[in-house]
Amino acid sequence: MADIEPYESALDAIPGAHPYPRTSRYHDAEIGIHRQPDGTEVRYTKRRLLPPLDQLDDETQPHTVGAGERPDLLAQRYFGDPGQWWQIADANPVLDPRELTDEAGRVIDIPLAGGFPGGRGDRRV
Protein backbone atom coordinates (compact mmCIF):
# COMPACT_ATOMS: atom_id res chain seq x y z
CA MET A 1 0.00 0.00 0.00
CA ALA A 2 3.02 2.27 -0.04
CA ASP A 3 2.15 3.49 -3.56
CA ILE A 4 -1.27 4.80 -2.50
CA GLU A 5 -1.60 8.32 -1.21
CA PRO A 6 -3.24 8.44 2.24
CA TYR A 7 -6.24 10.35 0.89
CA GLU A 8 -6.79 7.72 -1.81
CA SER A 9 -7.12 4.82 0.64
CA ALA A 10 -9.44 6.93 2.82
CA LEU A 11 -11.75 7.40 -0.18
CA ASP A 12 -12.76 3.74 -0.03
CA ALA A 13 -14.77 4.48 3.10
CA ILE A 14 -16.75 7.26 1.39
CA PRO A 15 -19.75 6.08 -0.66
CA GLY A 16 -19.38 7.21 -4.26
CA ALA A 17 -15.76 8.34 -3.78
CA HIS A 18 -13.40 7.81 -6.69
CA PRO A 19 -11.02 4.84 -6.45
CA TYR A 20 -8.75 5.67 -9.41
CA PRO A 21 -5.58 7.81 -9.35
CA ARG A 22 -5.58 11.12 -11.24
CA THR A 23 -3.51 9.66 -14.10
CA SER A 24 -5.96 6.83 -14.77
CA ARG A 25 -8.23 6.82 -17.79
CA TYR A 26 -11.06 6.08 -15.35
CA HIS A 27 -10.31 8.89 -12.88
CA ASP A 28 -13.28 11.01 -13.90
CA ALA A 29 -15.58 8.15 -14.88
CA GLU A 30 -18.70 8.11 -12.76
CA ILE A 31 -18.87 5.55 -9.96
CA GLY A 32 -22.18 3.78 -9.58
CA ILE A 33 -23.54 1.84 -6.65
CA HIS A 34 -25.64 -1.28 -7.15
CA ARG A 35 -27.65 -2.48 -4.18
CA GLN A 36 -28.06 -6.25 -4.07
CA PRO A 37 -31.28 -7.85 -2.74
CA ASP A 38 -29.59 -8.47 0.63
CA GLY A 39 -28.73 -4.76 0.92
CA THR A 40 -25.04 -5.14 0.10
CA GLU A 41 -23.72 -2.23 -1.96
CA VAL A 42 -21.40 -2.97 -4.88
CA ARG A 43 -19.47 -0.05 -6.37
CA TYR A 44 -18.69 -0.12 -10.09
CA THR A 45 -17.27 2.19 -12.71
CA LYS A 46 -19.85 3.39 -15.20
CA ARG A 47 -19.10 3.29 -18.89
CA ARG A 48 -16.54 5.77 -20.13
CA LEU A 49 -17.56 7.54 -23.34
CA LEU A 50 -15.13 9.15 -25.74
CA PRO A 51 -15.75 12.18 -27.92
CA PRO A 52 -16.41 11.44 -31.61
CA LEU A 53 -13.12 11.03 -33.49
CA ASP A 54 -13.96 13.83 -35.96
CA GLN A 55 -13.95 16.28 -33.02
CA LEU A 56 -10.36 15.35 -32.21
CA ASP A 57 -8.79 16.46 -35.51
CA ASP A 58 -7.70 19.87 -34.20
CA GLU A 59 -6.41 18.41 -30.96
CA THR A 60 -4.06 15.75 -32.30
CA GLN A 61 -0.84 15.54 -34.27
CA PRO A 62 0.13 12.78 -36.70
CA HIS A 63 2.89 10.31 -35.87
CA THR A 64 4.36 7.81 -38.32
CA VAL A 65 5.05 4.57 -36.47
CA GLY A 66 8.63 3.34 -36.61
CA ALA A 67 9.83 -0.26 -36.22
CA GLY A 68 9.81 -1.40 -32.61
CA GLU A 69 7.65 1.40 -31.27
CA ARG A 70 5.02 0.62 -28.65
CA PRO A 71 2.12 2.68 -27.25
CA ASP A 72 3.81 2.99 -23.85
CA LEU A 73 7.05 4.24 -25.42
CA LEU A 74 5.14 6.80 -27.46
CA ALA A 75 3.33 7.96 -24.32
CA GLN A 76 6.68 8.42 -22.58
CA ARG A 77 7.99 10.40 -25.55
CA TYR A 78 4.95 12.68 -25.97
CA PHE A 79 3.57 12.92 -22.40
CA GLY A 80 6.53 11.98 -20.20
CA ASP A 81 4.55 9.08 -18.71
CA PRO A 82 4.34 5.58 -20.25
CA GLY A 83 1.13 4.96 -18.30
CA GLN A 84 -0.66 7.52 -20.49
CA TRP A 85 -0.64 5.17 -23.52
CA TRP A 86 -4.42 5.08 -23.25
CA GLN A 87 -4.63 8.68 -24.46
CA ILE A 88 -3.11 7.60 -27.76
CA ALA A 89 -5.43 4.60 -27.91
CA ASP A 90 -8.44 6.86 -27.27
CA ALA A 91 -7.45 9.13 -30.16
CA ASN A 92 -7.33 6.27 -32.67
CA PRO A 93 -10.06 3.85 -33.78
CA VAL A 94 -8.55 0.55 -32.54
CA LEU A 95 -9.89 -2.12 -30.23
CA ASP A 96 -6.47 -3.43 -29.18
CA PRO A 97 -3.79 -0.80 -28.42
CA ARG A 98 -1.12 -3.08 -29.89
CA GLU A 99 -2.71 -2.39 -33.29
CA LEU A 100 -1.42 1.18 -33.03
CA THR A 101 2.21 0.18 -33.49
CA ASP A 102 2.16 -3.30 -34.99
CA GLU A 103 2.81 -1.96 -38.50
CA ALA A 104 5.74 0.37 -39.20
CA GLY A 105 4.74 3.26 -41.45
CA ARG A 106 1.19 3.51 -40.09
CA VAL A 107 0.16 7.08 -39.26
CA ILE A 108 -1.61 7.46 -35.93
CA ASP A 109 -2.97 10.45 -34.03
CA ILE A 110 -1.24 11.67 -30.88
CA PRO A 111 -3.21 14.03 -28.61
CA LEU A 112 -1.56 17.41 -28.20
CA ALA A 113 -0.05 18.30 -24.83
CA GLY A 114 -2.86 19.08 -22.46
CA GLY A 115 -5.04 16.43 -24.03
CA PHE A 116 -8.39 16.46 -25.75
CA PRO A 117 -11.82 16.06 -24.18
CA GLY A 118 -11.43 12.79 -22.32
CA GLY A 119 -7.66 13.08 -22.15
CA ARG A 120 -5.27 14.17 -19.44
CA GLY A 121 -5.93 17.91 -19.72
CA ASP A 122 -9.72 17.86 -19.87
CA ARG A 123 -11.26 14.86 -18.13
CA ARG A 124 -14.84 14.77 -19.52
CA VAL A 125 -15.27 11.03 -20.00
Side-chain angles (χ1 to χ4, degrees):
M1 270 265 266
D3 294 330
I4 298 177
E5 295 290 330
Y7 72 88
E8 290 183 48
S9 59
L11 291 177
D12 288 335
I14 303 170
H18 221 287
Y20 298 102
R22 294 188 195 291
T23 57
S24 170
R25 67 167 64 183
Y26 299 106
H27 179 266
D28 287 328
E30 188 177 348
I31 301 298
I33 299 176
H34 169 73
R35 192 173 312 278
Q36 296 181 340
D38 68 357
T40 304
E41 289 184 350
V42 178
R43 291 173 54 190
Y44 65 95
T45 304
K46 291 189 176 183
R47 191 164 55 166
R48 181 175 160 266
L49 301 176
L50 299 174
L53 290 174
D54 61 349
Q55 290 182 8
L56 303 179
D57 291 342
D58 294 337
E59 302 185 36
T60 62
Q61 60 187 326
H63 173 83
T64 302
V65 174
E69 288 188 312
R70 300 188 324 238
D72 61 326
L73 298 176
L74 291 174
Q76 176 63 41
R77 176 177 166 188
Y78 285 100
F79 307 126
D81 180 355
Q84 296 300 304
W85 61 267
W86 59 267
Q87 290 192 58
I88 300 169
D90 284 357
N92 292 273
V94 297
L95 294 176
D96 181 346
R98 293 174 291 195
E99 292 177 47
L100 293 168
T101 55
D102 65 357
E103 182 183 325
R106 177 181 181 164
V107 177
I108 61 173
D109 290 321
I110 305 288
L112 298 176
F116 53 88
R120 181 167 59 179
D122 181 358
R123 313 285 304 218
R124 293 178 292 186
V125 291

